Amino acid sequence: MRCVERPDDFETRRAHLRNLSDEDLHARFWRLVDEIVAPLIEEARSHTTPSIERSVLLRMGFSSLEARELVAQMQARGLLGRGAGHLVLALAMSQGMTVREAGRALLEGRDWEELPR
Amino acid sequence: MKLAPDQKLDLREVLKDLDQYRPQRRGWAWREPRTAHALGPFVYQDASADLEHSVPLPAAREFGDIDPQCDLVITTEIASGRFEDDLRRMRMAAWHGADHIMVIRTTGQSHFDGLIEGTPEGVGGIPVTRKQIRATRKALDAIEAEVGRPINFHSYVSGLAGPEMAVLFAEEGVNGAHQDPQYNVLYRDINMHRSFVDAAEAKRILADAGILQLDGAHNANATAKEAWKVTPELFVQHAINTGYSRAAGMPPELIALSTVPPTAPPAPKLRLDLPYALALRELFDGYRFRAQQNTRYMESDTEEATVTHVLDTLISRLTPTHIQSTITPDEGRNIPWHYNNVAGVNAARQTLMGVDGLMQMIELKTDGPLRAQARELKERAVLFLEEILANGGYYAAVEAGQFVDQGYFPERKGDGIMRDPQGGDGAGSVIPREPGYGAPVCSHFGNNRYAERPGKPCADYGGCTLCDATKIQYIDELDAEDNVEQRLVQPLAERAEGLLRPEVEKHGDGVVCVTLFVPASQSVARAAALEMARHMGLNEPQVINQRLMHPAEGSVFEIKGRLDIAIRTDALAVPEPPAVLPDAEIEAWVRGRDIHLVAATVGEDEHSVGLHEILDIKHGGIERYGFHCHDLGTSVPVERLLEVAEQTGARAILISTIVTHADVHKQHMRRLHALAQERGLRRRLVLIAGGTQITDKLARECGMDAGFGRGTTGRDVASFLVRRLRDAPA
């Protein structure tokens, strides 16, 4: 699909802006920006991605290789929407393990059934 | 690790105990401003704190070797593919005034869904890994201690692994980063939902770590055929990233706009670029501006590129700017060579010191074409934003091809970049957070059960890596072949053996560049130039620049080729630099002895500066030690010098000879020697020649007692005279 072509009709389109002060024009510019950004940031607030979840596990003291494997397995099991770090921490706390021990157990295929529902 | 100016960077030392290394400093560092800063004969208004070690601009030799520093941070971009070679380049650039080192990532890293580890070699950049970052930060920590100024280390948080990169950068003391989800969407075809969701997390991490963020709007200049026509859209791209960054929790002082003056001469550059620069600064008041030099219209001519870059840098002084990013003048013809990073940095600092204090003397007009054009650009940008909303928001606007259209908005050429919101790399990987979603770590953005309670989100397990760096998991190497240890085997062995090869990019690459003019029509001249380079022993010669001087009279060529030989340093005859005597020793011997000298610039030669430098007391010349100098001026015949020497009983004659046409300098020296012998004066007189093309060896061959070239000081000459006269038979 090809997008639209249009001549430069700036002079007619600008009619509603022509009489704005610079200050009002700037305010209008930033109001429009906020309006465009609002739905984007809302999606970020309420969604996650494999990279975000791996970055959480990195911060919890896992290596990039461990984080990649844990997140891939959680994604395959449809668990990522609960938060990879939350699942590992909850397992550690329920089983009396350190966070790294909990992550290793999962990597070794153990304790997946112990993850919180 | 501590560096000594006369020692090469020890790569073994850099790589030692890296698993234990922690960065010495975190967050972005600006320069310390200095106004009314007195240095040598000048007072600077737009300066910053001096360096402890540096290489001054060439003309500084006339001003007591001062090296004033401008108030803007100066960026250089480095991208050889081997970080171990980049480190040496960073050190050279830092000595020339760079304090923002931007490390380009290897081709394709944007599409790598995760982190890379180890030290594999890259193409057009390095794979950014923890080990490479840590080694680079360690070297930069030592380099900043050597030059005496913080050096900002910078790379990229784009692509599919943005949040992980941001964590890595925060943990390892990276100071600046590019982060702009629009770059992923428009230029890397990474899914837009993925890009924006990842970006909020990455931005939050960068913000908490004090890392300065640069956006990616400048890429639209580089993509558009007529770069000045995308300017209304550039405001919009800057604004979307800025607004999104603010919403993700980034403070304005960490948000830098990456802006490029869009045109190059023969376009009327300032008339087009200055209104744009001004409008941008007004709309984005309160943010930081990283002005990058233009790349869009650069090809192979490095001098043309440099002139454009000087004009770009002038615009940076006419409008508020915080960072001056440099582009190497050879970027249009090859992956930049290390000495061209230095050339780019020097073009910026030379310009900025040259226009020091400019805005104390002039101001931009508040009416006329500057204001009218700035206003028009802003209105066009507002119309662009209105159309995004009319199209149904950002994603729908990208889908409709609203971005990077070649038309001057609202004009449309119908050739914008179109992306499917459900397509691209990483499509379908955005997952809704369930109720009760949690991320028990600091610097996390969005809904999170651990952020809803008091205290740190990572308190349950004793702290995350951002609070306790000992928890960071360091991976050394994953590939037994493709790693820095393997790459260093040959270079370090050659270095130990004392072998030297020329290089432009990587250790011992052997690449050299020769410039030659060939007096024939362009196509004949080109073939001839390549053949001449082969005769010089260059392998695989290639023309990297050619410039027509005249269709029939000839063209000039720059040819690169490889010199496949190594020189043994132990077999070189390296002349020992003559040791200078202490000032006090010189003066103690000279004063009271009533020693007369005769000096002049000989032949038809009006150059007087060099000789004044050597003689005059106010330039630190030899008069200050108590020599009586008879300066006969310029264009003086050799006979006249001998006459005055005889009359005054002089012990030495100093001639300056700058003009070298038809070897006239050699003739003057030989004639002075011969005439002195003829008149029976040679035994009594010490004969010295100086000039830009004079060497000690050449002067002795022509009958002189000594020759002094470029960079000579009065003390060098006085030391020689005292030694010679002291040892002479009475």
Side-chain angles (χ1 to χ4, degrees):
Chain A
M1 188 183 94
R2 201 172 146 74
C3 27
V4 292
E5 282 185 59
R6 184 169 69 200
D8 188 359
D9 55 359
F10 173 66
E11 285 306 326
T12 47
R13 276 178 188 258
R14 69 176 292 215
H16 64 298
L17 305 175
R18 189 193 304 266
N19 293 323
L20 293 181
S21 67
D22 256 14
E23 204 176 37
D24 289 343
L25 188 70
H26 291 191
R28 186 182 185 87
F29 178 89
W30 285 108
R31 200 168 59 244
L32 292 166
V33 170
D34 289 344
E35 211 176 313
I36 290 166
V37 162
L40 304 177
I41 202 74
E42 189 43 44
E43 185 182 12
R45 205 181 295 285
S46 56
H47 289 70
T48 189
T49 70
S51 180
I52 292 176
E53 295 309 313
R54 289 190 300 255
S55 81
V56 170
L57 293 179
L58 284 178
R59 277 172 274 184
M60 290 174 72
F62 291 95
S63 73
S64 64
L65 299 180
E66 293 165 336
R68 183 185 307 166
E69 188 56 34
L70 280 168
V71 166
Q73 290 198 30
M74 287 178 184
Q75 193 173 8
R77 291 167 199 248
L79 298 172
L80 226 42
R82 288 146 73 184
H86 168 57
L87 294 178
V88 172
L89 178 60
L91 178 66
M93 292 180 76
S94 72
Q95 304 297 306
M97 297 189 277
T98 66
V99 160
R100 281 197 55 77
E101 284 165 353
R104 273 210 212 94
L106 294 173
L107 285 170
E108 287 163 11
R110 292 184 280 116
D111 294 339
W112 285 89
E113 65 288 353
E114 304 294 334
L115 293 177
R117 294 276 135 203
Chain B
M1 191 171 81
K2 193 170 184 322
L3 301 178
D6 60 348
Q7 297 289 318
K8 287 186 73 68
L9 182 69
D10 183 347
L11 292 169
R12 284 261 163 260
E13 180 67 26
V14 173
L15 294 170
K16 198 173 131 197
D17 299 330
L18 268 185
D19 57 326
Q20 300 298 320
Y21 192 75
R22 299 306 308 145
Q24 306 292 297
R25 191 175 56 73
R26 286 170 188 285
W28 183 263
W30 298 104
R31 293 187 178 189
E32 289 173 36
R34 295 275 188 279
T35 50
H37 185 53
L39 209 55
F42 309 115
V43 177
Y44 294 92
Q45 303 305 330
D46 304 318
S48 62
D50 299 334
L51 293 183
E52 285 166 32
H53 287 109
S54 68
V55 180
L57 288 168
R61 68 182 177 272
E62 309 286 340
F63 313 130
D65 278 324
I66 54 171
D67 192 9
Q69 301 294 311
C70 64
D71 54 351
L72 308 188
V73 167
I74 295 184
T75 312
T76 191
E77 302 186 16
I78 292 184
S80 84
R82 293 183 184 173
F83 82 98
E84 65 274 21
D85 288 318
D86 293 344
L87 302 183
R88 296 181 294 127
R89 187 186 301 219
M90 292 174 192
R91 190 183 186 197
M92 293 190 271
W95 274 60
H96 287 263
D99 54 346
H100 180 201
I101 307 285
M102 196 175 280
V103 171
I104 311 295
R105 303 197 303 181
T106 186
T107 308
Q109 189 164 4
S110 291
H111 294 282
F112 200 86
D113 198 355
L115 295 181
I116 303 174
E117 301 282 0
T119 55
E121 183 164 350
V123 177
I126 64 160
V128 169
T129 66
R130 188 182 298 279
K131 182 171 180 180
Q132 308 219 44
I133 289 178
R134 199 175 278 191
T136 304
R137 186 65 260 179
K138 181 177 174 184
L140 286 174
D141 283 344
I143 293 168
E144 69 178 43
E146 182 181 41
V147 297
R149 179 165 64 201
I151 294 175
N152 295 296
F153 175 26
H154 180 116
S155 194
Y156 294 72
V157 179
S158 51
L160 281 169
E164 295 151 274
M165 277 288 175
V167 167
L168 182 60
F169 286 9
E171 289 172 342
E172 300 295 337
V174 174
N175 315 95
H178 272 85
Q179 214 301 317
D180 189 340
Q182 298 165 99
Y183 177 80
N184 276 358
V185 173
L186 294 172
Y187 306 108
R188 290 284 172 263
D189 195 15
I190 292 174
N191 176 262
M192 49 186 92
H193 293 274
R194 170 73 182 263
S195 294
F196 274 84
V197 173
D198 276 351
E201 181 78 0
K203 287 175 188 301
R204 176 67 199 274
I205 296 162
L206 296 178
D208 288 353
I211 295 173
L212 185 79
Q213 173 191 269
L214 268 58
D215 64 21
H218 60 283
N219 291 288
N221 299 74
T223 312
K225 281 196 273 292
E226 296 177 312
W228 62 97
K229 292 195 172 171
V230 297
T231 45
E233 175 180 333
L234 294 177
F235 295 113
V236 171
Q237 287 201 26
H238 286 304
I240 288 174
N241 197 53
T242 300
Y244 197 71
S245 302
R246 294 300 303 276
M250 191 172 273
E253 63 271 18
L254 288 179
I255 298 175
L257 278 63
S258 188
T259 175
V260 182
T263 72
K269 184 172 171 61
L270 262 73
R271 212 172 70 219
L272 289 165
D273 296 358
L274 189 57
Y276 163 62
L278 181 70
L280 183 74
R281 268 67 168 184
E282 289 177 349
L283 264 178
F284 291 83
D285 186 30
Y287 296 98
R288 301 288 183 259
F289 297 94
R290 172 253 192 168
Q292 184 181 288
Q293 295 167 340
N294 187 286
T295 60
R296 174 64 187 88
Y297 298 103
M298 275 172 76
E299 279 196 353
S300 59
D301 192 312
T302 58
E303 284 166 11
E304 181 202 24
T306 300
V307 172
T308 297
H309 292 167
V310 167
L311 293 171
D312 290 331
T313 309
L314 174 61
I315 292 170
S316 301
R317 188 48 87 200
L318 293 170
T319 53
T321 299
H322 304 88
I323 302 172
Q324 179 61 54
S325 266
T326 65
I327 296 294
T328 67
D330 62 336
E331 192 186 87
R333 68 190 194 191
N334 46 250
I335 288 176
W337 292 353
H338 49 39
Y339 57 76
N340 285 319
N341 280 88
V342 169
V345 169
N346 278 328
R349 70 167 169 153
Q350 185 178 345
T351 306
L352 287 165
M353 293 334 295
V355 298
D356 179 82
L358 182 66
M359 299 314 284
Q360 289 185 346
M361 298 186 288
I362 65 165
E363 60 190 5
L364 299 180
K365 292 183 77 163
T366 51
D367 57 3
L370 177 61
R371 286 252 54 98
Q373 286 178 51
R375 169 78 190 201
E376 180 179 328
L377 285 168
K378 292 176 193 171
E379 290 187 19
R380 286 178 186 268
V382 169
L383 294 174
F384 196 108
L385 290 169
E386 289 175 352
E387 187 149 298
I388 292 176
L389 289 166
N391 264 328
Y394 177 77
Y395 293 150
V398 175
E399 188 175 20
Q402 192 179 334
F403 285 84
V404 204
D405 184 293
Q406 312 278 340
Y408 187 36
F409 196 90
E411 179 195 26
R412 299 280 79 183
K413 298 283 193 195
D415 57 1
I417 294 174
M418 298 165 78
R419 301 291 189 205
D420 175 4
Q422 306 313 323
D425 205 357
S429 61
V430 172
I431 299 157
R433 296 185 192 183
E434 292 175 19
Y437 168 90
V441 291
C442 295
S443 303
H444 185 65
F445 177 78
N447 302 341
N448 178 10
R449 63 191 293 159
Y450 294 93
E452 288 159 11
R453 57 185 205 186
K456 283 187 174 182
C458 57
D460 288 344
Y461 59 101
C464 62
T465 57
L466 301 176
C467 302
D468 177 4
T470 63
K471 291 188 174 171
I472 295 170
Q473 297 294 314
Y474 178 78
I475 293 175
D476 191 51
E477 298 289 355
L478 296 177
D479 189 322
E481 295 303 317
D482 190 3
N483 65 58
V484 64
E485 292 296 333
Q486 295 298 323
R487 288 195 300 273
L488 280 175
V489 171
Q490 194 200 352
L492 292 185
E494 287 200 351
R495 195 187 283 178
E497 250 190 283
L499 294 177
L500 274 183
R501 299 173 191 276
E503 65 170 50
V504 296
E505 192 184 349
K506 295 171 184 168
H507 183 103
D509 54 35
V511 174
V512 300
C513 180
V514 295
T515 304
L516 37 88
F517 171 81
V518 182
S521 68
Q522 210 163 10
S523 54
V524 172
R526 185 184 170 96
L530 284 166
E531 192 56 22
M532 290 169 189
R534 280 184 206 105
H535 281 281
M536 289 182 219
L538 299 186
N539 289 322
E540 296 171 32
Q542 281 177 43
V543 173
I544 54 173
N545 181 38
Q546 67 182 58
R547 186 133 187 218
L548 181 73
M549 296 292 106
H550 180 275
E553 296 295 354
S555 288
V556 69
F557 299 87
E558 287 176 271
I559 295 184
K560 79 166 177 182
R562 216 178 52 245
L563 186 68
D564 283 321
I565 53 164
I567 299 294
R568 298 203 67 89
T569 48
D570 55 11
L572 290 174
V574 181
E576 278 290 310
V580 291
L581 298 174
D583 281 341
E585 183 180 340
I586 299 172
E587 191 163 353
W589 194 83
V590 174
R591 287 219 186 269
R593 280 194 162 77
D594 200 23
I595 299 168
H596 289 253
L597 313 173
V598 183
T601 304
V602 292
E604 301 295 320
D605 191 339
E606 292 296 329
H607 293 93
S608 63
V609 173
L611 193 57
H612 282 158
E613 289 288 311
I614 299 302
L615 300 180
D616 284 5
I617 198 160
K618 63 175 184 284
H619 297 300
I622 63 177
E623 283 179 335
R624 72 188 154 126
Y625 301 111
F627 289 108
H628 300 289
C629 297
H630 303 274
D631 182 359
L632 308 185
T634 56
S635 297
V636 175
V638 168
E639 291 83 349
R640 173 80 184 131
L641 281 153
L642 286 164
E643 279 164 27
V644 179
E646 203 161 5
Q647 286 160 15
T648 58
R651 296 298 313 277
I653 291 179
L654 278 65
I655 62 167
S656 173
T657 175
I658 307 294
V659 176
T660 57
H661 293 168
D663 278 348
V664 67
H665 58 313
K666 294 183 189 171
Q667 292 171 33
H668 293 317
M669 291 190 281
R670 290 199 181 104
R671 192 166 151 71
L672 177 64
H673 168 65
L675 276 178
Q677 273 186 325
E678 228 170 77
R679 297 184 185 191
L681 297 171
R682 185 66 185 88
R683 195 177 290 269
R684 192 184 88 197
L685 284 171
V686 178
L687 301 183
I688 293 175
T692 51
Q693 302 304 315
I694 302 292
T695 63
D696 188 50
K697 182 165 174 279
L698 176 74
R700 287 171 192 269
E701 282 167 6
C702 294
M704 300 289 98
D705 292 299
F708 290 91
R710 214 177 267 280
T712 300
T713 65
R715 191 169 160 203
D716 299 324
V717 176
S719 295
F720 175 80
L721 278 169
V722 167
R723 282 215 172 88
R724 180 55 71 94
L725 295 171
R726 198 163 58 182
D727 300 341

